[in-house]
Structure formats: structure tokens, C-alpha cells
Amino acid sequence: DAMVIQNPRYQVTQFGKPVTLSCSQTLNHNVMYWYQQKSSQAPKLLFHYYDKDFNNEADTPDNFQSRRPNTSFCFLDIRSPGLGDAAMYLCATSRAAGGLGEKLFFGSGTQLSVL
Amino acid sequence: GEDVEQSLFLSVREGDSSVINCTYTDSSSTYLYWYKQEPGAGLQLLTYIFSNMDMKQDQRLTVLLNKKDKHLSLRIADTQTGDSAIYFCAESRTSGTYKYIFGTGTRLKVLA
């Protein structure tokens, strides 16, 4: 019973060709996050939505955008992927704010390759 | 600073105990977490501890927190081959931020 579902599992794109990764959740959680994880590194938060409020991390490149059309779905758009954007992209959800001990629920991730 | 640091690798024999360590820098951290990541998968929450606690036990898992030294550890008793994975510690803070700061991860290898 997958609760946070990411599609596709593997995505190959060409240098400079826009790509969209998707995430859906059945938990009805308020907060959805996108993390970038490169090999042997910690997940790095790109941005998150609290309901419809978008919160971008200061060091997230403009090349990365996100959309959340409804509670269940969230998309990560990479406008012009570069070789350095090849990574695992993890979607996560939480019921509310992290400071209150809220747990993160992760999807299985999308492994992005850029050729 | 926001650094959360962990040693990169740990190797143990099946049946032994594993101890994975983590140090963090922000004294305002309220909750500290341990997540497990199996190859090619997302992170799965194992356990967490509130900052006013020293220890928490959950079956084979024991979390110890030394708030003075900003040191967190995860002990896995009777380690099994299925415990082989990367373990991340993470902290969250009281400021209302939704930001979890993850450590660099410790790759645990269990030898049969």
C-alpha cells in the first residue's frame, strides 16, 4: 500500500530538454517536499509546499520549479537539465511542521540521468 | 552551522550489535530522527527522539542522546543481513521551519 508514489522510477533526459517528475500521496498530508540526493550525499531540500504555499530554499537554482495542483499531487519541473542535475529526486510528505516532531514519509524516488 | 555529521561506513558481523553515531550543531533541535535507506529506495523512518529524552528503546533499536555533546547514536541489537542499508540521522527545529537537516549517512554492511 504505497502512500507516497513517485513516477517514473527511472527517467532519462537529454541535456537541456525539460523534464517533469511526479509525486502523489494518499495520506492527505499538508506538506509536500522535494529533495535532491546525489550519490553518497545527504538529501538536499529543494522546496516544499504547505498546502498551496510554496517555499523555495535560498540555494535552489531557478532551473528547478514545482507545481502542486491539488493536495494529492506535486510536480518537479527541471527546465533545462544539466549534467550536474543527474541525481535521485525524492518526494516526501508530512502532516504539518517539522519542528513539531512530524515524520517524513518518502516515496521510492526517481533516478534522473542526463545524457 | 547546519552540519549534521556521521561516519561514512560501518561493517559488522551478523548477530553483533551495530552502533551508528551522529553529531549535530544546532542546540535548538527539538526532534532527532533516524531514517533507513535501502538501495534504490526512499528513506524510511526508523525511530525518533525528543530532545528532552536521553534514551529511547524500540525492539532491537536503542537511541541515545547526549544533548550536552550534541551526540546521537543508534544501536541495532542482533544485527541481521537485512539491516544492511544507509542510515541517516536528521534534526528538526522549533522555529516553525519545515526544514529537516540530514546527515551524510552511514553505510552499514552486515557480514554473514
Side-chain angles (χ1 to χ4, degrees), chain B residues 56-104:
Chain B
K56 180 179 180 182
Q57 187 154 3
D58 183 1
Q59 299 182 336
R60 291 191 297 124
L61 305 178
T62 303
V63 179
L64 294 176
L65 175 61
N66 182 329
K67 198 171 180 181
K68 175 176 171 290
D69 295 339
K70 299 189 185 68
H71 182 264
L72 181 74
S73 68
L74 173 69
R75 179 177 180 270
I76 306 173
D78 187 25
T79 312
Q80 303 297 307
T81 53
D83 295 324
S84 293
I86 301 176
Y87 290 80
F88 290 93
C89 65
E91 57 172 349
S92 64
R93 300 167 186 173
T94 57
S95 62
T97 180
Y98 303 101
K99 195 169 187 174
Y100 297 76
I101 307 299
F102 283 90
T104 49

Side-chain angles (χ1 to χ4, degrees), chain A residues 9-10 31 33 35 37 40-43 45 48 50 55 57 88 90 94 96-109, chain B residues 8 30-31 33 35 37 39-45 48 50 86 88 92-105 107:
Chain A
R9 186 75 180 83
Y10 299 94
V31 192
Y33 310 77
Y35 284 86
Q37 186 183 23
S40 301
Q41 294 184 19
L45 181 63
H48 73 271
Y50 188 99
N55 297 271
E57 291 298 299
M88 172 78 90
L90 296 167
S94 67
L100 301 175
E102 292 294 333
K103 305 163 197 171
L104 289 178
F105 292 81
F106 282 86
S108 298
Chain B
L8 289 180
T30 52
Y31 287 87
Y33 307 81
Y35 283 84
Q37 186 178 33
L43 280 69
Q44 174 194 1
L45 178 67
Y48 67 100
F50 186 49
I86 301 176
F88 290 93
S92 64
R93 300 167 186 173
T94 57
S95 62
T97 180
Y98 303 101
K99 195 169 187 174
Y100 297 76
I101 307 299
F102 283 90
T104 49
R107 184 179 295 273

Side-chain angles (χ1 to χ4, degrees), chain A residues 4-68:
Chain A
V4 182
I5 302 162
Q6 291 188 243
N7 286 304
R9 186 75 180 83
Y10 299 94
Q11 176 74 57
V12 181
T13 191
Q14 291 179 332
F15 183 93
K17 184 175 181 181
V19 66
T20 294
L21 309 182
S22 71
C23 177
S24 64
Q25 54 129 342
T26 60
L27 298 162
N28 204 34
H29 280 175
N30 292 315
V31 192
M32 294 187 78
Y33 310 77
W34 279 104
Y35 284 86
Q36 179 193 63
Q37 186 183 23
K38 296 189 176 180
S39 183
S40 301
Q41 294 184 19
K44 178 181 178 301
L45 181 63
L46 296 174
F47 25 59
H48 73 271
Y49 273 95
Y50 188 99
D51 287 336
K52 295 181 180 179
D53 292 333
F54 178 70
N55 297 271
N56 199 29
E57 291 298 299
D59 57 354
T60 298
D62 292 340
N63 197 25
F64 291 88
Q65 304 286 324
S66 187
R67 295 170 284 135
R68 188 179 186 186

